[in-house]
């Protein structure tokens, strides 16, 4: 069975959401955030100290978008991926990785310099610059989403899970009021999906059962450990 190591509403929410959409059985191991500081034994399992970590037999993966791609391939055929030979195959792969590499990257710097660094190291101007960077890149989706319900393939896919997590994180960062109209409508649509709602419930229930705080990772207090520890 697949095992997913997860912190509340962290990047590992992507594979959790994907698992729920696919209906794949899994074990969810909840960790306090940041695990490298609050559960040091996790470093024995994942020396990076980051989430996600997904284990599937001998397979170990730590990249959230790649795990989504892996899970779709494992469950193929599934409408949640766009196949080679379909018109939007390239767009699917691009948006799948756009969600992490282009959208979530600047958000992590907002988190670092606005929340996770000790107070004397926080840099509000830097955080604001990266928030603007994120929003500028997000606005590139506005023309597409003005005429399409989802990003590619004429249907909901793993690419929407990847980008959707960036929108969830934006909500925790207080940036949703600055979404363009079609992006805001898209985010509302994603939040009505059964798979998304099941993933929210799954992390809440697992955290309570395992004695882990249900406070979302993006809302965690200042991290006393340097971010590169």
């Amino acid at each position: 069975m697949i095992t997913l190591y997860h912190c509340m509403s962290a990047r590992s929410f992507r594979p959790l959401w994907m698992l729920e959409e696919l209906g794949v059985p899994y074990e969810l191991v909840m960790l306090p955030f940041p695990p490298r500081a609050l559960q040091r034994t996790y470093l024995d399992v994942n020396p990076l100290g980051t989430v996600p970590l997904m284990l599937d037999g001998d397979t170990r993966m730590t990249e959230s978008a790649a795990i989504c791609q892996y899970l779709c391939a494992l469950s193929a055929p599934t409408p949640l991926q766009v196949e080679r030979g379909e018109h939007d195959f390239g767009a699917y792969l691009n948006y799948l990785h756009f969600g992490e590499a282009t959208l979530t990257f600047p958000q992590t710097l907002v988190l670092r310099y606005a929340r996770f660094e000790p107070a004397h190291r926080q840099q509000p101007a830097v955080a604001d610059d990266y928030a603007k960077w994120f929003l500028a890149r997000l606005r590139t989706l506005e023309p597409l989403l003005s005429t399409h319900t989802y990003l590619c393939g004429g249907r909901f896919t793993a690419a929407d899970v990847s980008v959707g997590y960036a929108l969830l994180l934006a909500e925790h960062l207080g940036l949703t009021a600055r979404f363009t109209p079609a992006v805001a409508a898209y985010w509302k649509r994603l939040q009505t999906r059964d798979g998304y709602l099941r993933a929210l419930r799954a992390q809440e229930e697992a955290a309570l059962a395992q004695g882990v705080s249900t406070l979302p990772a993006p809302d965690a207090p200042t991290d006393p450990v340097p971010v590169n520890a």
Side-chain angles (χ1 to χ4, degrees), residues 20 27 30 41 59 73 77 86 107 121 130 134 156-157 168 176 183 218:
E20 289 292 344
E27 177 188 5
M30 299 298 299
T41 55
T59 299
E86 288 189 70
Q107 291 176 302
R121 287 177 54 87
Y130 279 106
F134 160 73
F156 178 88
T157 69
L168 172 62
T176 53
V183 170

Side-chain angles (χ1 to χ4, degrees), residues 24-145:
V24 173
Y26 64 91
E27 177 188 5
L28 188 61
V29 179
M30 299 298 299
L31 298 167
F33 184 83
R36 68 188 182 285
L38 300 180
Q39 191 161 322
R40 301 287 293 181
T41 55
Y42 179 57
L43 294 172
D44 297 332
V45 182
N46 178 15
L48 287 173
T50 58
V51 291
L53 169 66
M54 187 207 71
L55 305 179
D56 182 23
D58 293 334
T59 299
R60 297 170 54 90
M61 300 182 70
T62 58
E63 294 296 329
S64 62
I67 295 171
C68 291
Q69 187 172 352
Y70 173 87
L71 292 171
C72 279
L74 216 62
S75 299
T78 171
L80 292 167
Q81 70 178 2
V82 176
E83 301 287 352
R84 180 181 177 183
E86 288 189 70
H87 173 69
D88 275 355
F89 176 62
Y92 164 72
L93 292 176
N94 196 67
Y95 286 123
L96 177 64
H97 296 284
F98 175 87
E100 172 64 16
T102 300
L103 294 182
T104 306
F105 167 69
Q107 291 176 302
T108 61
L109 293 169
V110 176
L111 284 168
R112 174 174 181 170
Y113 289 111
R115 296 187 183 179
F116 292 164
E117 288 284 358
H120 69 282
R121 287 177 54 87
Q122 290 182 8
Q123 300 186 46
V126 172
D128 186 57
D129 283 346
Y130 279 106
K132 291 175 182 175
W133 180 6
F134 160 73
L135 290 164
R137 279 144 184 76
L138 185 61
R139 281 195 294 273
T140 65
L141 298 180
E142 181 69 11
L144 172 67
L145 292 171

Side-chain angles (χ1 to χ4, degrees), residues 188-209:
K188 286 183 180 179
R189 286 195 297 276
L190 294 183
Q191 292 176 87
T192 66
R193 289 195 61 83
D194 287 343
Y196 173 81
L197 296 171
R198 286 195 302 270
L200 289 176
R201 288 194 298 270
Q203 66 172 3
E204 180 92 8
E205 291 170 3
L208 291 171

